[in-house]
Amino acid sequence: MTTTATLENPPTTDNPVFSVDGLWKVFGPKADRVPEDAELSALDPADLRARTGCTAAVRDVSFDVRKGEVFVVMGLSGSGKSTLVRCLTRLIEPTAGTICIDGEDVRAMDKARLRELRRHRAAMVFQHFGLLPHRTVLDNVAYGLEIQGMGKAERRARAAEVVTKVGLEGMEQRKPSQLSGGQQQRVGLARALAVDPQVLLFDEPFSALDPLIRRDMQEEVVRLHREEGRTMVFITHDLSEALKLGDRIALMRDGKVVQLGTPEEIVGSPADGYVREFVRDVPREHVMTVRRAMKPGDCAGPAHPGGLAPDAVVADAIKVVAGSGRPACVVENGRCLGVVDHERLLGVVAGTELRGGAAGTEPRKEAV
Amino acid sequence: MATVTASTPRALPTGLLKHRAVHKLLLIALAAAVLVPLANARWASGSWPAALTVDLTKPLTSASDWIINNRDSHPLFLYFFGYVSNAVVISVHAVYVVLLGAGWAGVTALGALVAWRVAGVRLALGTTAAFLACGLLGMWVPTMQTLALMVVAVLASVVVGVLLGLAAGLSRRMDKILRPVLDTMQVMPAYAYLLPVVLVFGMGVPAAVLATVVYAAPPMARLTALGLQGADKEVLEAVESLGTTARQRLLTARIPLARKELMLGLNQTIMMALSMAVIASVIGAAGLGDRVYQALASVDVGAALAAGIPIVLLAVVLDRVTGAAGDGTEGQGRAGWAYALAGTVVVAVAGRLLGRLDWPDAWTLNIAEPVNRAVDWMTAHLYSGVPVVGGTADWAGHFTTWVLDPVRTGLQGLPWWSVLLIVATLAWLIGTWRTALTAVLAMAAIGVLGVWTPALDTLSQVLAAVAVTLVLGFATAVAAARSDRVERLLRPVLDVFQTMPQFVYLIPVVALFGVGRAPAAAAAVVYALPAVVRITTQGLRQVDPAAMESSRSLGATSWQQLRQVQLPLARPALLLAVNQGVVLVLAVVVIGGLVGGGALGYDTVFGLAQGDLATGLVAGAAIVCLGLVLDRVTQPTERRTGKGA
């Protein structure tokens, strides 16, 4: 296997919130030697296990999480994604590599500093909620503030605000056991939001929920992100969830990142057979944008029929083109970037559009 | 001779047993073939060879003499045991004075109001009725003596237990050290704890309280550790992810998450403390147990019953109230507690002003005489000569001559090495070589202590009682597992029987069967039966319904279902039931020494009563060894490994 993480390094003005470089987490006896030894670190999981009794959950992973983006880590169970997110705040101690938050080395932090990081800078939402069963909703939400030493009245007032924000007003005095799964996860989300963290970490937060509730919760996250623009790291095994929420997606397999890019890049240009197999059934017209589907070049007309934004997905363009019966223009800032017609759009749906035709896609505009 | 082991592998169809079991048997047969002729040549005797015993009487007597002589002068006693002893005496006395000072009305009100706050109105009424019944039976003062002893012992047990439990729950290493100790303490008969504390503290309240603490603290420690270790990992992780310190994690998450186990631990500790506080009457604890003890000594069933009923009532009330505290939601606010406290104070002050502190003599009901008349009538009419069925004494006699005597003769007739060999084989087949080694060493220790013959006598009673218990228990359990109606009828009975202290079971069997070995065995059967029935029923009911359904869909009859699906799948539960049955039976059989059970139990009582601590201590040590042997021989490996995980 070759490491095919397509690391893109776009020129960004902001410093990344999280910067992870060469991160390893190896479980087992004398785990330290594995990342150091070039031969051992090249072994595949089964051989490594046979040779050393160790399991490498995270293998040489590097990425940056930019300010304000939703960064999704996606992979099947056992791919190391949950270990990875726990390494970010050292809930699991990494074996090798560096992690920086705002330029500060997380692995060098002492206990007090690390607590400070967990209390104020990164809060996590868990798959099975992790609520304290003996506390009310309000006190669960206020828990993070309580351990920071905030007074009772103040933290309850703050918690009540957050409870309202996640749509649980009226349930403040209930116990977690009296709530549905979706409501419990709202409490988990509120607890993380209450401490006003710089980054929210989600560890498969919705996989224990029913499909309909899951969709509600995903929309809740999209809404929160739109309103607050908070940086989020989101772990999931659900591809459609990843595509729906992610500004960028890191796809993991056996502890390695096999591809890192926008949803469109992952679906449009899979890095290898594994990724291609993975995204085969994705409804491409809901992911690919017209920027990628269009035939570049000005339509040279004044009217710009259709008037699609470059970030519009192909499914929207199909509606416009099918409705009007003629090609539509892609317009940005009053300038026509290109034209999409039946042939181009069908090519996207069928997965036969010209690769490289739109290879120069710039990364999606970052959310503010 | 060696046929015991040599014939076993041949007799077994190889397909039936797993390869490993056959392997073990062959190894044991090989070891036996080498060792037995050697041992037989050197120490050929049926009973344990005298050459291999160590007489501990002299050193033990001199040790106990030394302690008695130095109790008032040696610094160890002056500055440590003396303080402990004084602290215990003072606190028990203080609680007793407070209870008497509150008067019967105050204590009843306190009990009722606490029950009301914790468990609701019904239990509050039950508590009131129980306290009033204690007074009515003329047992108010002994009840308060027992309660005072219990309060101190339970508080101390909880403190000790929680501290040990915290250590084991938070540190892996401590857990490794403590777990086997606590596991073993759990299977020891209560009786065995009495003598060592008497040796150090002498007869009296301090010894009784300390024996109770030693007996009652282990469940608290075990359950505390269990609760701390069993906490939801993700909750702890979530709490850690928010930046808690270790102390905050303990106080805000781990301990509250373990609440259920802690309350269960409190419940068990209270029940075991009551059980022991009653038994401790043998070493000089005043109270209800003492009344029962004295009455049984003179075979005065009526008086024993008058003291026994309050014990049972106390047990049921304490169990229900603390049990309800465990499952109930947390206290519904402080106001209720304030009312409860205020109510108690008002009633107590009112009682004091009216000069009604002591239970009025006019209100007592003497049940001893009518009960004794009834017992006399029973003795006259039911003991023997009842047409067709025979009398109760006849049954006891038959049981003794046809079951107990042959088993005892058989066991004592076995060559000593063959007993060791059987113990080794059983323990190894069911456990690991380590359990086998422990069992053999413990059995050999009994021989070395020089109490081989009485120990085999006790063992014969245990085996006979266990056999009866298992037959009755499994039959009842199968019936209860198959019919909801039977289970519904059985449940309250089992609940009450399981809460009663061991001591109480002696009263009815003495009434029915007189004294001797048979009644001791009968008491043991009654005591062990509920646990066996409960575990077996649960095991049978928890059999995977899918497996049951599929066998039914294949057209299995209900007998086939039971034999081919339920029993094999419930095997772990059945083994656990056997183990529990054996441990519980032993606990009561040795107490049966008080009602003529003889053997080790009698030696212990005799040692205590005559101040002959050497005899008593040796018998106590042999009881411990016998407990170890019986537990290891019946303890399936799964249980051990399951706990270790």
Side-chain angles (χ1 to χ4, degrees):
Chain A
M1 262 187 306
T2 49
T3 321
T4 45
T6 54
L7 283 173
E8 44 167 2
N9 286 309
T12 41
T13 43
D14 315 90
N15 287 322
V17 178
F18 267 117
S19 176
V20 175
D21 189 29
L23 189 74
W24 280 83
K25 174 62 201 181
V26 183
F27 293 102
K30 287 192 250 165
D32 288 345
R33 71 205 151 132
V34 178
E36 287 163 9
D37 187 323
E39 190 198 347
L40 286 179
S41 59
L43 289 174
D44 72 43
D47 288 342
L48 182 67
R49 196 170 181 84
R51 276 272 295 276
T52 62
C54 289
T55 315
V58 175
R59 303 161 70 102
D60 196 17
V61 166
S62 307
F63 60 82
D64 287 345
V65 178
R66 300 180 202 137
K67 195 163 187 307
E69 79 173 333
V70 179
F71 185 87
V72 173
V73 179
M74 119 120 233
L76 299 181
S77 60
S79 61
K81 55 194 188 308
S82 288
T83 309
L84 175 62
V85 75
R86 281 167 175 72
C87 284
L88 295 181
T89 56
R90 281 171 58 194
L91 287 175
I92 291 178
E93 204 61 53
T95 313
T98 53
I99 304 166
C100 291
I101 181 165
D102 282 335
E104 189 182 352
D105 186 356
V106 175
R107 291 194 68 201
M109 288 179 176
D110 62 4
K111 270 191 174 172
R113 190 82 193 122
L114 188 63
R115 269 205 301 275
E116 206 54 27
L117 162 75
R118 290 175 183 167
R119 284 182 181 182
H120 298 289
R121 292 160 80 178
M124 193 152 162
V125 180
F126 291 84
Q127 180 175 7
H128 299 290
F129 328 131
L131 303 177
L132 293 165
H134 56 285
R135 290 174 168 239
T136 60
V137 166
L138 194 66
D139 283 336
N140 260 296
V141 174
Y143 183 72
L145 301 169
E146 181 184 337
I147 55 181
Q148 292 172 12
M150 189 183 280
K152 199 170 195 170
E154 194 186 348
R155 69 173 188 250
R156 286 206 162 154
R158 272 272 279 284
E161 278 173 36
V162 187
V163 167
T164 312
K165 191 187 270 179
V166 298
L168 286 176
E169 50 291 52
M171 306 196 181
E172 288 87 349
Q173 295 311 317
R174 297 216 193 153
K175 293 280 171 68
S177 57
Q178 297 166 304
L179 300 179
S180 71
Q183 289 167 335
Q184 290 191 40
Q185 194 55 293
R186 282 174 199 267
V187 179
L189 183 58
R191 177 176 63 185
L193 283 173
V195 298
D196 192 22
Q198 223 174 325
V199 191
L200 273 177
L201 309 174
F202 292 86
D203 178 31
E204 300 204 37
F206 309 140
S207 40
L209 304 179
D210 292 339
L212 285 180
I213 312 282
R214 191 183 310 162
R215 209 173 57 197
D216 281 356
M217 292 300 293
Q218 287 164 355
E219 270 147 26
E220 187 78 32
V221 168
V222 169
R223 183 177 67 84
L224 274 171
H225 185 247
R226 213 172 36 231
E227 283 171 8
E228 300 187 325
R230 210 183 292 273
T231 313
M232 298 180 178
V233 177
F234 199 102
I235 308 294
T236 181
H237 67 250
D238 178 353
L239 182 62
S240 65
E241 187 169 84
L243 295 172
K244 185 172 187 175
L245 299 177
D247 289 320
R248 289 189 305 146
I249 299 172
L251 213 146
M252 284 185 81
R253 181 193 187 187
D254 290 339
K256 286 183 184 171
V257 172
V258 288
Q259 186 168 7
L260 192 157
T262 62
E264 197 174 0
E265 284 166 342
I266 297 224
V267 175
S269 24
D272 63 6
Y274 179 75
V275 182
R276 186 167 304 122
E277 196 55 26
F278 218 100
V279 300
R280 206 176 60 182
D281 295 330
V282 171
R284 303 161 56 84
E285 65 277 16
H286 290 292
V287 179
M288 310 299 288
T289 59
V290 290
R291 187 199 293 281
R292 210 175 158 93
M294 71 191 179
K295 193 187 299 164
D298 203 320
C299 65
H304 301 316
L308 293 159
D311 285 343
V313 292
V314 167
D316 294 338
I318 289 174
K319 268 180 219 152
V320 173
V321 172
S324 65
R326 53 191 179 129
C329 288
V330 180
V331 181
E332 191 177 41
N333 300 329
R335 197 166 64 82
C336 183
L337 298 178
V339 179
V340 282
D341 53 17
H342 287 79
E343 193 189 337
R344 282 265 165 183
L345 293 173
L346 278 174
V348 170
V349 175
T352 56
E353 86 274 22
L354 289 171
R355 292 222 171 75
T361 359
E362 16 179 324
R364 269 221 262 181
K365 220 177 127 194
E366 274 149 34
V368 192
Chain B
M1 292 284 130
T3 47
V4 183
T5 50
S7 66
T8 342
R10 246 186 292 126
L12 288 166
T14 34
L16 248 181
L17 266 182
K18 276 174 252 155
H19 183 70
R20 262 210 355 241
V22 178
H23 203 73
K24 285 178 179 176
L25 279 175
L26 283 175
L27 262 174
I28 286 203
L30 190 71
V34 177
L35 292 176
V36 166
L38 267 176
N40 213 19
R42 240 192 111 192
W43 303 287
S45 81
S47 180
W48 186 268
L52 288 182
T53 58
V54 176
D55 188 8
L56 289 178
T57 319
K58 238 189 220 138
L60 279 179
T61 313
S62 63
S64 101
D65 286 348
W66 181 86
I67 288 175
I68 290 166
N69 290 335
N70 288 279
R71 205 171 264 159
D72 301 323
S73 53
H74 195 276
L76 183 64
F77 288 93
L78 279 185
Y79 298 108
F80 182 68
F81 291 129
Y83 281 122
V84 173
S85 169
N86 285 342
V88 169
V89 171
I90 289 170
S91 30
V92 171
H93 193 70
V95 176
Y96 181 58
V97 167
V98 168
L99 286 176
L100 284 190
W104 62 268
V107 172
T108 307
L110 179 67
L113 289 168
V114 167
W116 168 60
R117 286 313 306 157
V118 170
V121 176
R122 271 185 58 196
L123 270 178
L125 289 177
T127 309
T128 314
F131 273 116
L132 294 182
C134 294
L136 267 177
L137 289 167
M139 287 290 154
W140 187 259
V141 170
T143 306
M144 290 307 109
Q145 285 170 328
T146 300
L147 262 187
L149 199 144
M150 287 247 324
V151 168
V152 174
V154 166
L155 285 180
S157 304
V158 166
V159 171
V160 172
V162 165
L163 287 179
L164 288 176
L166 278 177
L170 299 180
S171 141
R172 213 164 250 277
R173 191 181 301 167
M174 278 306 283
D175 188 43
K176 263 196 180 143
I177 300 171
L178 280 175
R179 190 184 289 261
V181 177
L182 294 177
D183 277 355
T184 307
M185 285 178 83
Q186 192 92 340
V187 302
M188 288 300 115
Y191 227 51
Y193 291 113
L194 297 177
L195 276 143
V197 288
V198 172
L199 184 64
V200 176
F201 291 98
M203 307 275 266
V205 171
V209 169
L210 286 165
T212 309
V213 171
V214 173
Y215 185 61
M220 191 75 216
R222 283 173 57 124
L223 281 158
T224 307
L226 200 71
L228 289 177
Q229 290 158 354
D232 187 340
K233 291 282 172 300
E234 202 177 41
V235 176
L236 292 184
E237 201 177 29
V239 165
E240 195 183 351
S241 83
L242 287 163
T244 43
T245 60
R247 225 190 77 190
Q248 286 175 325
R249 268 201 294 285
L250 182 67
L251 294 179
T252 62
R254 298 195 80 149
I255 288 181
L257 286 175
R259 177 169 180 272
K260 206 167 185 168
E261 281 83 0
L262 289 174
M263 293 313 291
L264 185 64
L266 180 65
N267 172 280
Q268 287 203 3
T269 293
I270 289 179
M271 298 320 290
M272 294 188 75
L274 177 62
S275 179
M276 192 65 176
V278 173
I279 294 175
S281 59
V282 182
I283 55 170
L288 294 169
D290 191 44
R291 299 297 179 96
V292 178
Y293 180 47
Q294 304 290 352
L296 283 179
S298 52
V299 201
D300 180 352
V301 175
L305 196 65
I309 290 173
I311 297 176
V312 173
L313 292 175
L314 219 53
V316 171
V317 163
L318 284 171
D319 182 52
R320 294 299 178 276
V321 172
T322 51
D327 358 289
T329 48
E330 287 158 73
Q332 298 92 352
R334 295 198 184 123
W337 281 105
Y339 288 134
L341 199 67
T344 308
V345 171
V346 168
V347 174
V349 169
R352 180 161 282 264
L353 290 178
L354 291 170
R356 290 273 193 177
L357 278 185
D358 300 328
W359 185 271
D361 284 338
W363 293 4
T364 57
L365 197 69
N366 188 359
I367 66 157
E369 268 173 50
V371 168
N372 276 337
R373 268 204 302 280
V375 172
D376 287 343
W377 181 86
M378 268 171 44
T379 318
H381 295 87
L382 295 182
Y383 257 35
S384 63
V386 179
V388 190
V389 287
T392 52
D394 293 344
W395 296 348
H398 293 327
F399 188 69
T400 310
T401 39
W402 290 346
V403 180
L404 286 175
D405 283 347
V407 174
R408 179 168 69 174
T409 325
L411 275 179
Q412 289 177 345
L414 282 177
W416 59 272
W417 44 263
S418 69
V419 175
L420 290 186
L421 214 53
I422 293 169
V423 165
T425 315
L426 284 177
W428 202 22
L429 278 182
I430 204 153
T432 61
W433 65 270
R434 226 179 281 192
T435 50
L437 193 66
T438 321
V440 170
L441 287 180
M443 196 69 214
I446 294 174
V448 171
L449 287 171
V451 284
W452 186 255
T453 314
L456 287 186
D457 187 0
T458 301
L459 185 60
S460 73
Q461 294 174 38
V462 170
L463 291 181
V466 166
V468 175
T469 310
L470 292 184
V471 170
L472 292 179
F474 285 166
T476 319
V478 167
R482 307 191 68 111
S483 144
D484 287 328
R485 186 123 125 261
V486 175
E487 209 203 355
R488 259 204 313 280
L489 285 175
L490 217 54
R491 185 172 296 164
V493 180
L494 293 183
D495 279 349
V496 172
F497 273 68
Q498 258 189 326
T499 49
M500 283 203 272
Q502 304 151 359
F503 215 52
V504 174
Y505 288 95
L506 295 178
I507 304 169
V509 296
V510 167
L512 277 176
F513 304 119
V515 294
R517 279 181 294 147
V525 171
V526 181
Y527 181 65
L529 205 49
V532 170
V533 170
R534 178 154 285 172
I535 295 171
T536 315
T537 312
Q538 242 167 37
L540 288 177
R541 288 206 161 233
Q542 275 164 6
V543 164
D544 184 5
M548 289 292 288
E549 205 172 18
S550 67
S551 87
R552 208 167 37 241
S553 78
L554 289 168
T557 63
S558 59
W559 172 246
Q560 283 173 324
Q561 265 185 40
L562 177 69
R563 228 167 42 93
Q564 293 166 352
V565 182
Q566 278 184 303
L567 289 182
L569 285 182
R571 189 167 168 265
L574 297 185
L575 289 174
L576 182 63
V578 172
N579 178 262
Q580 285 293 298
V582 166
V583 167
L584 296 176
V585 162
L586 176 68
V588 175
V589 161
V590 294
I591 295 178
L594 290 176
V595 293
L600 293 178
Y602 174 74
D603 284 354
T604 317
V605 189
F606 174 82
L608 284 168
Q610 304 295 314
D612 179 1
L613 286 182
T615 310
L617 272 174
V618 167
I623 292 173
V624 169
C625 291
L626 202 57
L628 267 179
V629 171
L630 288 170
D631 180 58
R632 293 302 185 271
V633 163
T634 53
Q635 190 174 60
T637 333
E638 291 95 58
R639 204 177 118 201
R640 308 234 100 200
T641 48
K643 271 186 196 162

